[in-house]
Each structure stands twice: as C-alpha cells, then as structure tokens.
Amino acid sequence: MSDLRKLAPATYELEKEGNMRVPGLVIASQVMLEEGGLDEAMGQLRNVAHLPGIVGHSIAMPDMHWGYGFPIGGVAAFDAEKGIISPGGVGYDINCGVRLAIVPELFKNISPSQREQILGTIFKNVPSGVGNVHKDAHVLTDKDYAQIAQRGAGWSIEHGFGFKEDLEHTESHGLIPGANMESVSEEARVRGRGQLGTIGSGNHFVEIGEIEKILLPEVASAWGVEQGQTYILIHSGSRGFGHQVCQDTLNAFIKKGFDSRLPDKQLVCAPISSHEGKTYLEAMAAAANFAFNNRQQILHWVRESFKSVLGIRPEHIPLLYDVCHNIAKFETHTVNGKPRKLCVHRKGATRAFGKGARELTPLYQSTGQPVLVPGDMGRASYLMVGLGNPLTWCSSCHGAGRARSRHQSTKAWQHKDPIKHMQSMGVMVKANSTRTIVEEMPDAYKDVDVVVAAVQEAGLAQMVARLKPSLVVKG
C-alpha cells in the first residue's frame, strides 16, 4: 500500500498512473490496510478509474472486496451527458438493499418459546433459497409489471402490503423514475413472476434482534429508536428479474463491442446518451422498483408473523428506512464549485445524504439520512446517520464485507455443527440448507465494528445504534 497517500483520517488517495483518468480513493483505517488481502479489490479500483467520463475519484469503502468488474464497496460518478453506464458498477442484484423496522416491544420481554415461534413463522411466511416462490404469490402479469415499473413500492401498498407512511421512509419514496418494461426481456419477466415477497439465496436474510446500545441519543430519539427495542432487518433485492436484466445487458453490450479498449471486459459499459445506455437505465429502474416491492412485501409478511405470535398489529411496527446498495442514480453534486448532474454508481455502497438534502423528507432533512449497515449473523449490525461527505458523493459502506469466499468458509466449517455454534452465540438460525449457513458464518465476514469505525473516522456517517442479532432466516 506504499502508493497510498493519506488525505484525512481513514481517507487515502491512490496515485493516478498509466491510463487512469482519475486517482483512486480508499476509505479504511490503517489497521485494515496493514491486514492486507485487498490486492484484487485495489486492482479493480484502478480499472474503474479508466472509464470514460468518470469524475472525482474511483472510490472504495472499508467493506471492499473483489466483485464483478467493480469492487464490491465501490463508488464512481460519471458525467450525466458524456459519461457511461456500467452494469458491473450496479451488480447482478439490482437494488439489493436493506430495510429496518422497529417493533414496539422490548426484546427481553419476548420469551424463548415466543422467539422460536416468531422465527418459525417468518421462515414459513417468507420463502428463502434459490427459485422459491411465495405460497400466496400473485403471479405477475404484464399489466402488473407495467404498474410496478411506474409506481414502485406504491404498487404493493395499493394491494395491501403495507402503509403509505412506508414510502416516506424508503429511499426515493420507493420509486426510481424512468422505468420502461419494454426494455425488459420476456425471460426476466418469467423469472420474476412469482418472486415478490421472497428473500432469495446467498447473503440475503431476515434478522430479528435487540437495539443493544444507543450511540447518538439525539438522532435515535428523533427516529423513535430506544435501547432494548426489538428490530427487524431485511436484506434482499430484485431476485431473478434483476439478475436477468443484468445478464441481458452484458450480452448486448459485449455483442455491440463496448468491451473493447477496457482494462477488464467485466467493466463493459455504454455511453449514457446512447440507445443501449438508455435501454439499460430503463430496465435497471424497472428492476429497482421490483426490488422495492419485494422488500415491501417481505416486511408485510414479517409484520403478519409478529401479529400471529405476539398480537402486535402491523401498523404498530413502523418502517424506519429502506436503502439501496446496488444502484446507479442521477444526482446533482458540487464539482469544482459548480452544481453538476452525475450518474453515481454505488455497488455494495449506500447513499448517505446529510442534513438539509432536498431529496430527503423533513424528518431526515433535520437529522441526515439513516444508513443501514448489516454485519454478520453472529456479532452485530449498525444503524448510522449520513453526513453528506462530498468526497465520496455522499456515500458510505453497505455492510461488513466478506473476509473469505463462500468456498473457503464451507471448507473451514467441514465436520463442524454451524447451527450449534450459532446457538452458543445466542443466535437461532433457519435456512433451506446447511450449506447456506456455513457459507454465511460470522468468520466469513470482516468485523463490522472495525468497518463502521473507519466510516465514522472518515466523516461519511455517524453511529446511531448497535444492533444485536438473535433470530435469523438466511437465504
């Protein structure tokens, strides 16, 4: 890491070299850099800096690790007229994201038997695993898809999956504009028809636990968050629908020859102003709105699970916030003292607007935007508040970040009992397969305490509360 120059606390610049158009920017503590293991991600950070129209820096968050084209934990902004759009800068799971809801019950007051019932009921009500659909799934028609594309999460609320107040607590009010189902293939539609309200596979989950510690009392109070409360954390995205949109676009871009003269073909991109670029943006927005609906319906079924076991009415379980962390969005930022429209790619990164941001609702304008940082299923997750740091285009980390691959984790847990180990940590976990659990064991991830400490040190976001998981449904 000798080519990194410290700019500020936990903020390092990677020198521009060769055909890099901009320098790199790395958000990390010195301890994280000294631990190493970042060579592949740093190589991808350099590659992103070669892309046409990039502005500022090619950026990596402290949860960075190797991904498809862009590093996971990567942020890059491109001029809205002369720049590019890259599916690898969004990811296969378009609008993968997280939402946090608060249950009006102290977690300690929920008995062990009730906890087990809650976990079992959620596992039954919210399908998990590859290709699984909801038992009460409404098979989406082309008319439904068209309405989802235009209304976003409002479509699910109109169909009884939640409340209009939920939209005020969702990034962009649960609607990415510009969606057009005519830009989405029939194969993508087929893959998504029965998948709303499902977790999916991999690192997706529903997590229930306790607000363990309040770290910023004024903001926590404004958001109605108290120590000891029960929380619901949901992590999922656009399922097979979004995956197919990404794959279709990659195929089309490569066929068009857009991968030439790039340091990595996985960075294949199209000019934003081109027909191909506009087509992807329309399809990406449709997949993003599908994902908002997916998390909205998952929350509905989790609320119903709490009603079934504890008698808590769904309207008494408010949504605190829902954030995207795989998305490209048009935003206006100050560049060289002047406002400039940019297409900000966040792949495994979270928007972290600060106080006064006009895109936020009045509550969050007064405090800054909630930033949700899931860790691993054994240690902790965090609720943070954005500070609107202009150096990262008002972005923050999206989680702890993987420390070892799924294959490495599976190998490390051979001949061991992962469920019993999680029970020793005070966590009950359910999944469709033991393989999923071993791939997602806590030691497969970086320590989220260290990651969020770097985020706070760099001035991207501040810690509001530490969350302790206890009940987990894994994808």
Side-chain angles (χ1 to χ4, degrees):
M1 299 298 171
S2 58
D3 48 356
L4 290 177
R5 179 172 66 92
K6 190 170 185 177
L7 298 181
T11 307
Y12 296 82
E13 189 172 72
L14 179 67
E15 182 181 354
K16 186 171 74 166
E17 58 184 27
N19 293 322
M20 289 171 63
R21 298 169 188 264
V22 296
L25 187 75
V26 178
I27 306 298
S29 65
Q30 188 168 345
V31 171
M32 297 177 77
L33 295 175
E34 290 172 352
E35 286 178 349
L38 301 176
D39 289 350
E40 286 185 320
M42 294 290 280
Q44 291 187 315
L45 184 70
R46 287 186 175 91
N47 290 342
V48 171
H50 289 73
L51 293 175
I54 190 169
V55 178
H57 293 86
S58 172
I59 305 166
M61 293 295 156
D63 53 338
M64 67 173 165
H65 53 288
W66 180 86
Y68 184 93
F70 277 56
I72 297 169
V75 178
F78 300 87
D79 184 88
E81 295 180 0
K82 299 179 180 179
I84 56 87
I85 181 72
S86 174
V90 173
Y92 271 93
D93 193 0
I94 297 167
N95 188 9
C96 184
V98 189
R99 65 172 42 196
L100 176 68
I102 305 298
V103 180
E105 180 66 74
L106 295 178
F107 190 74
K108 69 179 183 181
N109 291 342
I110 303 175
S111 71
S113 63
Q114 288 173 325
R115 295 178 190 182
E116 194 167 350
Q117 287 180 61
I118 290 169
L119 181 62
T121 305
I122 293 173
F123 187 69
K124 182 176 69 174
N125 284 344
V126 183
S128 57
V130 177
N132 285 340
V133 299
H134 201 281
K135 61 181 177 63
D136 296 321
H138 169 72
V139 177
L140 298 172
T141 65
D142 285 347
K143 182 179 178 181
D144 293 329
Y145 271 130
Q147 292 177 342
I148 286 169
Q150 296 305 314
R151 300 181 191 176
W155 182 86
S156 284
I157 289 170
E158 290 167 11
H159 285 75
F161 296 98
F163 312 99
K164 63 180 181 179
E165 292 81 8
D166 293 342
L167 297 179
E168 298 175 11
H169 296 265
T170 302
E171 182 173 332
S172 299
H173 290 83
L175 174 64
I176 303 297
N180 183 358
M181 284 302 300
E182 292 184 5
S183 296
V184 176
S185 71
E186 179 61 23
E187 188 173 356
R189 300 180 198 211
V190 168
R191 290 186 67 180
R193 287 205 192 276
Q195 291 192 327
L196 287 183
T198 67
I199 299 172
S201 58
N203 63 348
H204 295 154
F205 61 79
V206 174
E207 175 182 298
I208 311 296
E210 179 179 25
I211 308 288
E212 184 182 54
K213 189 175 184 181
I214 299 296
L215 303 165
L216 202 60
E218 287 186 9
V219 173
S221 178
W223 294 349
V225 176
E226 300 175 7
Q227 188 165 315
Q229 282 178 321
T230 302
Y231 72 85
I232 299 164
L233 194 63
I234 295 166
H235 178 211
S236 191
S238 50
R239 305 288 279 108
F241 182 89
H243 189 281
Q244 192 62 47
V245 166
C246 181
Q247 190 61 63
D248 290 340
T249 304
L250 290 171
N251 294 343
F253 281 13
I254 290 171
K255 186 176 181 180
K256 195 75 176 180
F258 288 142
D259 57 335
S260 63
R261 297 191 299 277
L262 293 175
D264 180 359
K265 290 183 180 294
Q266 291 184 355
L267 291 174
V268 63
C269 56
I272 289 174
S273 59
S274 68
H275 169 73
E276 292 81 5
K278 291 176 181 176
T279 297
Y280 171 67
L281 286 165
E282 291 173 350
M284 183 205 70
N289 293 339
F290 183 96
F292 280 133
N293 277 277
N294 188 33
R295 292 195 292 276
Q296 183 66 44
Q297 294 196 19
I298 292 171
L299 177 59
H300 165 81
W301 290 110
V302 175
R303 282 167 164 162
E304 288 295 319
S305 300
F306 272 88
K307 179 183 176 183
S308 173
V309 177
L310 297 182
I312 299 173
R313 295 180 63 84
E315 61 267 30
H316 295 155
I317 300 177
L319 175 62
L320 179 65
Y321 209 58
D322 179 298
V323 294
C324 314
H325 58 225
N326 276 4
I327 198 74
K329 298 180 76 175
F330 289 100
E331 298 170 0
T332 300
H333 292 274
T334 301
V335 180
N336 298 326
K338 296 180 180 179
R340 187 170 171 185
K341 188 178 180 182
L342 304 174
C343 182
V344 183
H345 292 55
R346 296 187 179 96
K347 180 186 181 178
T350 298
R351 191 185 75 174
F353 284 166
K355 291 181 181 180
R358 285 180 294 179
E359 293 88 343
L360 302 178
T361 55
L363 170 61
Y364 299 131
Q365 283 187 11
S366 69
T367 61
Q369 174 205 306
V371 175
L372 311 179
V373 186
D376 59 69
M377 63 179 176
R379 286 177 285 192
S381 294
Y382 275 86
L383 170 61
M384 305 185 79
V385 61
L387 296 175
N389 191 312
L391 198 60
T392 64
W393 311 119
C394 304
S395 305
S396 180
C397 71
H398 88 306
R402 291 196 77 93
R404 59 163 63 137
S405 70
R406 288 181 170 84
H407 174 73
Q408 289 170 333
S409 186
T410 300
K411 190 174 180 180
W413 282 90
Q414 276 184 332
H415 313 303
K416 299 176 184 176
D417 188 334
I419 294 177
K420 187 174 288 186
H421 178 81
M422 294 309 304
Q423 288 173 342
S424 74
M425 297 182 73
V427 178
M428 287 191 287
V429 58
K430 275 185 173 290
N432 276 310
S433 72
T434 304
R435 177 181 174 181
T436 297
I437 297 173
V438 298
E439 290 177 346
E440 293 295 311
M441 291 300 283
D443 58 359
Y445 286 86
K446 299 177 185 179
D447 185 343
V448 72
D449 292 330
V450 176
V451 171
V452 296
V455 165
Q456 182 160 295
E457 186 181 352
L460 311 187
Q462 276 186 289
M463 298 178 229
V464 175
R466 190 176 194 270
L467 318 179
K468 181 69 176 73
S470 286
L471 313 173
V472 179
V473 173
K474 291 298 294 188

